[in-house]
Amino acid sequence: MLNGNDEAAKAETRDAAAWVLDRILQLLHPFMPFITEELWARMAEHAVPRRSMLMLSPWPDLSDCARTNMRATR
């Protein structure tokens, strides 16, 4: 997918991967605060700058994802 010529598909794949990685870092932060904070800051070097540190970011609300997934499986 990332090696193809479809730039829209590449951008969508990168955005989805970044979103998932952000949620993973937020969920892991209570257990591994120093590592996740460092990764959070390092990821911002290659993307949009962060508005705050990871420890100040809101807890992820994944309720919309669960509803969308339930509708898709019906």
Side-chain angles (χ1 to χ4, degrees):
M1 171 95 27
L2 292 175
N3 292 328
N5 295 328
D6 187 0
E7 293 300 322
K10 287 182 190 180
E12 183 178 353
T13 302
R14 284 188 198 108
D15 289 345
W19 184 86
V20 169
L21 190 52
D22 280 354
R23 297 299 104 33
I24 289 171
L25 291 176
Q26 288 174 319
L27 293 171
L28 282 176
H29 189 67
F31 305 101
M32 302 172 17
F34 301 108
I35 295 170
T36 54
E37 199 70 59
E38 183 70 22
L39 291 172
W40 183 264
R42 295 285 173 137
M43 284 180 52
E45 294 173 3
H46 304 287
V48 178
R50 306 287 187 180
R51 287 183 254 164
S52 67
M53 296 174 60
L54 177 56
M55 71 177 172
L56 300 175
S57 70
W59 188 253
D61 180 19
L62 303 176
S63 58
D64 289 338
C65 293
R67 278 183 281 222
T68 303
N69 190 21
M70 286 178 64
R71 278 188 243 136
T73 58
R74 288 185 187 170

